[in-house]
């Protein structure tokens, strides 16, 4: 059965533009106060609890959630604006972003009332960091090949196994992890997976860092050795978590963060070329900006679908696939276009430093949020091609 692809031509309403001015003013104040440097993209990598709490105090975490749980019942389009401005400014969003983007919505839908009343308000205040435990050694992004196990005990569950590429696990308070609770069946290899809420301070959890050529520390290997969980930390349907994970990834894969991670080199290129670039530079920048605008329109459209209560899994996968390839290739395109920039350009040193960093982080962009191969499998399935 094929699904028709549909990107509604959604425009951001006036209240979004007012919000954009508020977010920009806040970020300018934070940058001026030394919280972060917008011209040093690696600053986004560090953990900034104070900044997270100030963002929470502004009401910009859990924006779409019910007020009962600390949310603000605003629109997905308003949340889109906040995310876009945070990313463009290279703000340090590590502590709250995953919890806000995808973990919180999962808890809202599947957690018991006790957990929701306890954890969701703390996320909204910017106090909690979440990690996602899906990928495993020797299975990559093939979620259905998961071997890490959850076994029933008299009072709950026991976890054993390993998760890998777990972003921010070294600073996370909680993880939402997928574990095997039953073998897959011949008819359905998706059967047998269950999602759990895991306290990262629980005994038996070891977090091992995975280094990158950029020198950053985003990814981790997380080992579970007889980790005990209460019964109510199993989320949703036992053995049916693949449905939840698919829905969760629609939140993860469609936002502006999926094509803006190396955008800063384009901004610096425009500054370096100046107000009167030559034909070569003008044409190159024009093409890049047109591509960026197209991806942005698609991403805003997905935000509108989420606002309407839809689950645009295929459309979100397309945004992630196109966005990843674009942001990986962008530093190389910018380096080519900047080859003839005058060496005395005021931002020549900044552009060179940013290009070096962007090229070093480019390989990891394929891993986070699902590999290109997995994404294209999801798209092909949605189109009825497999």
């Amino acid at each position: 059965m094929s699904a028709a692809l549909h990107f509604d031509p959604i425009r951001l309403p006036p209240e979004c533009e007012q919000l954009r001015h508020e977010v920009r003013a806040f970020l300018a104040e934070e940058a001026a106060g030394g919280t972060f440097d917008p011209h040093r993209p690696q600053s986004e990598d560090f953990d900034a609890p104070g900044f997270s709490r100030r963002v929470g105090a502004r009401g910009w975490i859990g924006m779409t959630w019910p007020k009962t749980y600390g949310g603000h019942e605003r629109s997905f389009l308003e949340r889109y604006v906040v995310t876009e401005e945070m990313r463009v400014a290279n703000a340090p969003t590590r502590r709250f972003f995953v919890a806000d983007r995808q973990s919180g919505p999962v808890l809202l839908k599947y957690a018991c009332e006790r957990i929701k009343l306890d954890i969701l308000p703390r996320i909204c205040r910017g106090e909690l960091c979440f990690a996602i435990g899906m990928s495993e050694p020797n299975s990559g992004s093939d979620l259905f090949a998961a071997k890490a196990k959850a076994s029933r005990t008299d009072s709950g569950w026991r976890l054993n196994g390993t998760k890998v590429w777990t972003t921010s696990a070294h600073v996370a308070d909680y993880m939402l992890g997928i574990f095997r609770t039953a073998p897959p069946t011949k008819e359905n290899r998706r059967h047998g997976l269950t999602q759990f809420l895991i306290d990262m301070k629980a005994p038996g959890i070891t977090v091992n860092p995975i280094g990158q050529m950029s020198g950053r520390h985003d990814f981790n290997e997380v080992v579970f050795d007889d980790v005990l969980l209460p019964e109510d930390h199993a989320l949703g349907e036992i053995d049916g978590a693949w449905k939840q994970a698919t829905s969760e990834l629609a939140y993860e894969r469609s936002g502006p963060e999926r094509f803006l991670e190396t955008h800063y080199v384009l901004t610096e290129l425009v500054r370096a070329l100046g107000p009167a670039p030559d034909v070569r530079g003008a044409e190159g920048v024009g093409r890049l900006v047109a591509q960026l605008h197209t991806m942005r329109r698609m991403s805003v459209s997905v935000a509108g679908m989420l606002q309407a209560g839809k689950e645009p899994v295929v459309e979100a996968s397309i945004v992630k696939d196109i966005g990843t390839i674009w942001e990986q290739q962008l530093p190389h395109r910018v380096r080519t276009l900047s080859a003839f920039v005058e060496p005395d350009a005021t931002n020549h040193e900044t552009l060179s430093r940013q290009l070096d960093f962007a090229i070093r982080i480019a390989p990891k962009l394929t891993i986070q949020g699902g590999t290109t191969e997995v994404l294209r499998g999801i798209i092909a399935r949605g189109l009825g091609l497999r």
Side-chain angles (χ1 to χ4, degrees):
M1 188 70 177
S2 62
L5 298 179
H6 190 70
F7 288 93
D8 295 327
I10 294 171
R11 297 292 176 183
L12 295 174
E15 58 267 26
C16 286
E17 293 311 308
Q18 174 59 37
L19 176 61
R20 189 182 299 281
H21 291 307
E22 295 174 15
V23 177
R24 284 184 181 177
F26 168 78
L27 292 172
E29 183 178 341
E30 290 287 325
T35 301
F36 65 96
D37 182 351
H39 299 295
R40 301 187 72 88
Q42 57 266 48
S43 67
E44 196 280 330
D45 181 50
F46 70 82
D47 187 30
F51 175 80
S52 299
R53 289 188 176 91
R54 290 191 291 274
V55 174
R58 291 276 183 152
W60 296 336
I61 305 176
M63 292 179 68
T64 65
W65 306 353
K67 293 181 180 179
T68 303
Y69 305 116
H72 304 278
E73 299 181 6
R74 300 181 74 165
S75 71
F76 276 93
L77 295 175
E78 289 173 297
R79 185 189 175 279
Y80 180 95
V81 166
V82 173
T83 301
E84 187 172 61
E85 291 299 320
M86 292 280 179
R87 175 56 66 188
V88 168
N90 292 314
T93 60
R94 172 190 287 280
R95 173 153 290 273
F96 63 85
F97 191 69
V98 169
D100 179 43
R101 178 180 65 187
Q102 64 198 100
S103 301
V106 170
L107 295 177
L108 272 170
K109 195 168 184 179
Y110 299 108
C112 67
E113 195 68 8
R114 180 189 69 80
I115 288 175
K116 288 193 285 190
L117 288 171
D118 173 33
I119 291 180
L120 293 176
R122 289 193 282 156
I123 292 177
C124 293
R125 293 194 297 267
E127 297 174 358
L128 296 181
C129 178
F130 270 68
I132 303 300
M134 291 189 180
S135 297
E136 296 186 7
N138 304 316
S139 62
S141 293
D142 184 3
L143 175 62
F144 308 130
K147 294 182 172 60
K149 292 183 178 180
S151 308
R152 281 197 179 274
T153 67
D154 293 339
S155 59
W157 299 88
R158 177 182 287 108
L159 307 182
N160 283 284
T162 302
K163 295 293 179 179
V164 75
W165 308 122
T166 46
T167 302
S168 298
H170 58 297
V171 295
D173 300 287
Y174 291 94
M175 173 189 287
L176 292 190
I178 301 289
F179 287 76
R180 185 158 293 286
T181 46
T185 63
K186 184 180 297 186
E187 297 77 20
N188 183 10
R189 69 186 293 258
R190 300 176 176 87
H191 174 79
L193 299 174
T194 303
Q195 192 168 36
F196 293 90
L197 170 68
I198 304 161
D199 185 343
M200 290 297 288
K201 297 179 181 62
I205 297 177
T206 302
V207 179
N208 301 314
I210 298 176
Q212 299 176 49
M213 68 176 72
S214 66
R216 283 173 62 160
H217 175 199
D218 291 357
F219 299 136
N220 302 273
E221 174 192 67
V222 183
V223 180
F224 299 86
D225 184 10
D226 285 339
V227 177
L228 298 177
L229 299 182
E231 176 66 35
D232 64 3
H233 279 224
L235 304 174
E237 180 184 347
I238 304 300
D239 296 336
W242 68 272
K243 302 172 189 174
Q244 297 163 213
T246 301
S247 175
E248 179 182 352
L249 290 172
Y251 292 96
E252 181 183 3
R253 290 172 170 165
S254 61
E257 70 276 10
R258 289 314 184 197
F259 53 86
L260 288 177
E261 190 145 352
T262 59
H263 77 283
Y264 43 83
V265 296
L266 176 56
T267 302
E268 289 300 323
L269 173 65
V270 172
R271 289 179 59 204
L273 291 174
D278 61 19
V279 173
R280 176 176 176 274
E283 181 182 9
V285 169
R287 287 180 183 275
L288 292 172
V289 171
Q291 293 161 0
L292 178 61
H293 178 75
T294 300
M295 288 183 292
R296 183 174 184 270
R297 297 304 329 147
M298 295 170 71
S299 185
V300 169
S301 179
V302 173
M305 292 184 227
L306 292 172
Q307 176 65 28
K310 301 176 182 178
E311 294 184 354
V313 175
V314 176
E315 289 84 355
S317 297
I318 291 174
V319 172
K320 169 62 169 71
D321 183 27
I322 295 174
T324 294
I325 293 171
W326 188 82
E327 63 184 1
Q328 282 184 315
Q329 294 177 348
L330 179 61
H332 300 283
R333 292 172 177 172
V334 169
R335 186 179 288 282
T336 299
L337 290 170
S338 65
F340 298 102
V341 169
E342 293 297 329
D344 59 350
T346 56
N347 69 326
H348 194 280
E349 181 181 349
T350 300
L351 177 58
S352 296
R353 185 180 69 246
Q354 289 188 355
L355 279 170
D356 180 68
F357 181 73
I359 288 171
R360 287 173 183 269
I361 69 163
K364 69 108 175 179
L365 301 177
T366 301
I367 299 171
Q368 59 190 34
T371 65
T372 297
E373 291 79 10
V374 168
L375 290 168
R376 291 180 181 178
I378 293 171
I379 295 166
R381 198 158 39 245
L383 294 174
L385 301 176
R386 56 176 294 185

